[in-house]
Amino acid sequence: MAEEVKHHNMVKVIDQCQVSPPSSSVPSTSIPLSFLDIPWLSCTLIKKIFFYEFPYSTQHFLQTVVPILKHSLSLTLQRFFPLAANVAFTRKPHTPHILYSEGDFVSFTVAESTADFTSLVVSDSPRDVRDAYPLVPVHPSSRTLEDGTLLLQTMAIQVTVFANSGFSICLSFRHEIADGRAFDHFMKFWATVCRSKGDFTSLEGSLPMPLHKRDIIEDPKGLKPIFLETKWNLPRESIEHTSLVHDAPSDDMVRHRFILSRNQLEKLKKWIAFKCQSIGVETLHLSTFVVTCSLVWVCIVKSEDTNIDNVPNNNDDYYCCLGFAADCRNFPEFSIPSYFGNCLSAGLAALMRSKLLGENGIFEAASAIGNKVRDVQGDPMKGVEAFGLAKEKVALNVERVFKIAGSPKIYAYETDFGWGKPKLYEILHADDGETICLSDCRDEEGGVEVGVAFKGIQMKKFNAILEDQLRNIAIPYSAVNSA
């Protein structure tokens, strides 16, 4: 084991190493980014963390868990080699590409924390967003080649043990390499190999292999050169800055997660359908995603409102938007379920702030989001084009854009490395006050976990507004069914 490297708050780094695919198992490879990858080049690093119970000593963890995590990661990287590679951001007119060479690696850190594991994973109270920062891996800095090409490492991992309690696996990675579905494929693959103790031969044929060929996705509208031009015109720092590890912490920013149960979501769907019908608002798509986003979006906007009379001020009105991504792998245009890369369209639901603050805000939101979901499903390429060029945002002169991160359909809580399903899964990069994080629910099938981060005062308002909205939804089914 390497010497202790550094101390960071309540975390002591024990070992820092590099994990590569098995020697000579992956040839040198260059894969041009597709038109679906390029819009994400200037996106912040994606940071996700999984907490697991492990009621044993640190020494036992280091001797039994860490070696199998590393070994199974190496075997997994043979199949998911872009995560050990670099993104080569080239100068015009050359297309940025994924570049893998023998010896490329994932930075792998092992650390020990003296923080209270239970308070991190069980507490229902808002937590300082900075509590998790020491658990996030240091992402290696970019390198610049002689021809001006930026080399950007794609992923870093930190495993942190909490003595006699548990451990966390935190990963940071570049979005242009993989979207949420692709990353989940990697995580489930790694977890399965780990559970098998690295016996990959017993798994051959039972695990879906990732598909890396980018040219199987057609670009019917010729969007790639247009998207590339927008990235070449950006300051190069906007591509590099995504490699920073810990963004400057915001004062008094707290993170809170809550669960919408399956029963609450069903009531919410019926409540919105009934209300929309009664006020003449058209609803076309009342899925779990739509009703969850509608409820939380309205609660956020109301929690920001400083009007004590709660009467919308039309002189201070503007468009608020909710942006979301849609996985297209199973759309007829694509049909590539094991594709490893980005295969996302996007939608931007827009409403005037006064509408969201009004009496019928949730129903208006559901209609706007539902219509946009239908539009994306009908023409995913239109959504890709609008997202890549920010066309809708520019056209509407939007002042606020809220975003959705994650999805309940990814089933993060099924990521079992051999020590049971996670006690907690969180998306850590979404601490800007404008992002709604969604995941499946650990303890209830059909439930949704929602994560948000705000200043402490706003969080109190948000929670009070959310509780009030949920009370309003708890009406007898007979009242809805009789409508």
Side-chain angles (χ1 to χ4, degrees), residues 283-429:
T283 56
L284 298 168
H285 189 91
L286 281 184
S287 64
T288 294
F289 173 81
V290 169
V291 300
T292 299
C293 294
S294 302
L295 172 66
V296 180
W297 187 19
V298 167
C299 289
I300 292 175
V301 174
K302 287 190 173 184
S303 72
E304 293 181 331
D305 188 33
T306 57
N307 188 334
I308 59 174
D309 296 323
N310 214 23
V311 177
N313 181 357
N314 290 327
N315 294 326
D316 189 29
D317 209 2
Y318 50 80
Y319 272 108
C320 286
C321 288
L322 183 75
F324 62 90
D327 178 31
C328 298
R329 282 169 176 75
N330 294 315
F331 284 21
E333 295 90 337
F334 301 97
S335 298
I336 43 174
S338 293
Y339 178 72
F340 188 81
N342 286 281
C343 193
L344 298 173
S345 183
L348 193 69
L351 278 175
M352 297 301 289
R353 177 172 169 270
S354 57
K355 292 267 191 183
L356 291 164
L357 291 174
E359 181 181 354
N360 300 318
I362 292 179
F363 325 125
E364 298 272 12
S367 181
I369 299 170
N371 285 335
K372 190 56 62 173
V373 168
R374 184 195 63 173
D375 288 348
V376 170
Q377 291 174 337
D379 185 359
M381 285 300 171
K382 184 177 179 182
V384 171
E385 181 179 14
F387 168 71
L389 301 176
K391 288 172 67 175
E392 290 177 290
K393 183 177 177 181
V394 171
L396 293 168
N397 192 23
V398 174
E399 292 202 21
R400 294 298 306 278
V401 177
F402 300 93
K403 305 174 289 293
I404 302 297
S407 167
K409 293 184 178 180
I410 285 179
Y411 303 110
Y413 281 99
E414 294 180 4
T415 311
D416 179 1
F417 282 82
W419 297 278
K421 62 184 178 180
K423 289 293 292 182
L424 175 65
Y425 160 75
E426 286 190 305
I427 300 172
L428 295 183
H429 60 277

Side-chain angles (χ1 to χ4, degrees), residues 464-481:
I465 292 166
L466 176 66
E467 289 175 8
D468 185 56
Q469 293 289 355
L470 291 175
R471 277 194 298 270
N472 290 339
I473 292 163
I475 58 175
Y477 283 115
S478 57
V480 173
N481 293 335

